[in-house]
Amino acid sequence: MKKAFIFDLDGVIVDTAKYHFLAWQNLANSLGISFSSAQNEQLKGVSRVRSLEKILEWGNKTISEEEFTTLMTKKNEEYLVYISKMDTSEILPDVPRVLDSLISKEQAIALGSASKNARVILDKVQLTDKFQAIVDGTNVSKAKPDPEVFLIGAKELGISPENCVVFEDSVAGIQAANRANMISIGIGDPKVLHEADYIFSDFTEIKEEFINNLVSAKKV
Ligand code: BG6
Ligand code: MG
């Protein structure tokens, strides 16, 4: 049986939240807005535009459209400096094992990320070749929890949504997978990701037997 396995990127394959945090924090501070790691948690899976909107809301600040665009560019330029230093050591534990296991079982694999920097990050950690389809922030018009990103991935792989499995670390991403009628697997805290069909703290907990069961499972 052929299934499609769709992976989110940030927080699932690599821990880039720490770099988003540094870049957003510098930007917020330059505007006189304080920005905590708890607030950064709330930006996981959230688009770049919406992230800046939220930071401005937290700081009670209104800016012109022009300044908004300038700040978005500034944040991304700083983020890209951190990304440029990434290498394979930043792949989260056991992600390659799970990817290789799925490939050995001839399963289809896609990326489903909100990031416009997804391709550059996959290249830096040398995982691009593992993906048959890459859907990212440059291909979608509706942000998670809208299921668009995952539905495009399924379509590109030619697999129906009920035969897709999504790995996600954000609440919005789990909701998007559920709305797409796909099997959702949360990677992270069960208290946060309780809407997922299955939850693991990381990929080291995902055993071969579970992968085999997923390959033959049906969403109920
Ligand atoms: C998501 C991240 O994957 O991508 C968010 O969890 C980020 O924190 C969003 O804002 C957009 O990413 P980028 O790289 O296009 O700014
Ligand atoms: Mg994520």
Side-chain angles (χ1 to χ4, degrees):
M1 180 157 189
K2 187 152 174 158
K3 283 256 171 76
F5 291 81
I6 309 179
F7 290 73
D8 174 46
L9 176 69
D10 297 307
V12 169
I13 294 175
V14 283
D15 174 23
T16 40
K18 58 188 179 207
Y19 301 134
H20 281 296
F21 178 56
L22 290 173
W24 282 130
Q25 193 179 42
N26 275 339
L27 187 127
N29 291 350
S30 75
L31 294 168
I33 300 172
S34 66
F35 180 65
S36 65
S37 54
Q39 284 167 315
N40 192 54
E41 280 298 305
Q42 294 180 48
L43 301 185
K44 281 188 178 170
V46 175
S47 73
R48 202 182 304 170
V49 174
R50 189 63 201 126
S51 298
L52 181 51
E53 283 172 356
K54 278 169 107 66
I55 290 169
L56 293 170
E57 280 165 26
W58 289 327
N60 256 324
K61 217 169 166 83
T62 322
I63 57 170
S64 69
E65 222 171 280
E66 202 188 339
E67 199 185 346
F68 192 97
T69 311
T70 310
L71 290 178
M72 291 249 294
T73 308
K74 201 175 148 212
K75 184 268 172 178
N76 198 51
E77 278 169 2
E78 183 177 339
Y79 180 66
L80 284 174
V81 173
Y82 302 125
I83 296 309
S84 70
K85 294 175 191 144
M86 284 182 85
D87 61 28
T88 53
S89 67
E90 298 214 36
I91 301 171
L92 287 168
D94 272 9
V95 169
R97 176 183 62 80
V98 172
L99 284 170
D100 289 339
S101 166
L102 293 169
I103 291 167
S104 74
K105 297 179 209 313
E106 297 183 349
Q107 301 300 298
I109 300 177
L111 190 86
S113 167
S115 173
K116 291 190 162 94
N117 299 304
R119 282 180 184 270
V120 75
I121 295 169
L122 278 187
D123 281 349
K124 292 299 291 181
V125 299
Q126 297 176 26
L127 286 177
T128 309
D129 292 351
K130 310 271 184 202
F131 295 86
Q132 287 159 257
I134 295 176
V135 188
D136 62 20
T138 65
N139 308 109
V140 294
S141 55
K142 291 175 235 148
K144 299 169 188 176
D146 190 281
E148 185 187 25
V149 62
F150 298 137
L151 291 173
I152 296 175
K155 201 168 172 201
E156 283 193 18
L157 295 171
I159 308 270
S160 60
E162 64 272 20
N163 286 319
C164 293
V165 178
V166 172
F167 295 98
E168 256 294 345
D169 71 314
S170 73
V171 175
I174 292 295
Q175 290 170 342
N178 291 342
R179 284 189 203 176
N181 197 28
M182 298 176 177
I183 293 174
S184 56
I185 303 188
I187 303 293
D189 185 345
K191 288 199 273 310
V192 179
L193 303 174
H194 56 86
E195 289 173 67
D197 292 319
Y198 304 93
I199 309 164
F200 299 96
S201 59
D202 60 40
F203 282 89
T204 63
E205 289 184 353
I206 301 185
K207 304 296 174 213
E208 198 60 19
E209 193 192 349
F210 180 75
I211 299 174
N212 288 335
N213 288 340
L214 275 181
V215 170
S216 48
K218 260 213 159 324
K219 173 111 181 164
V220 281

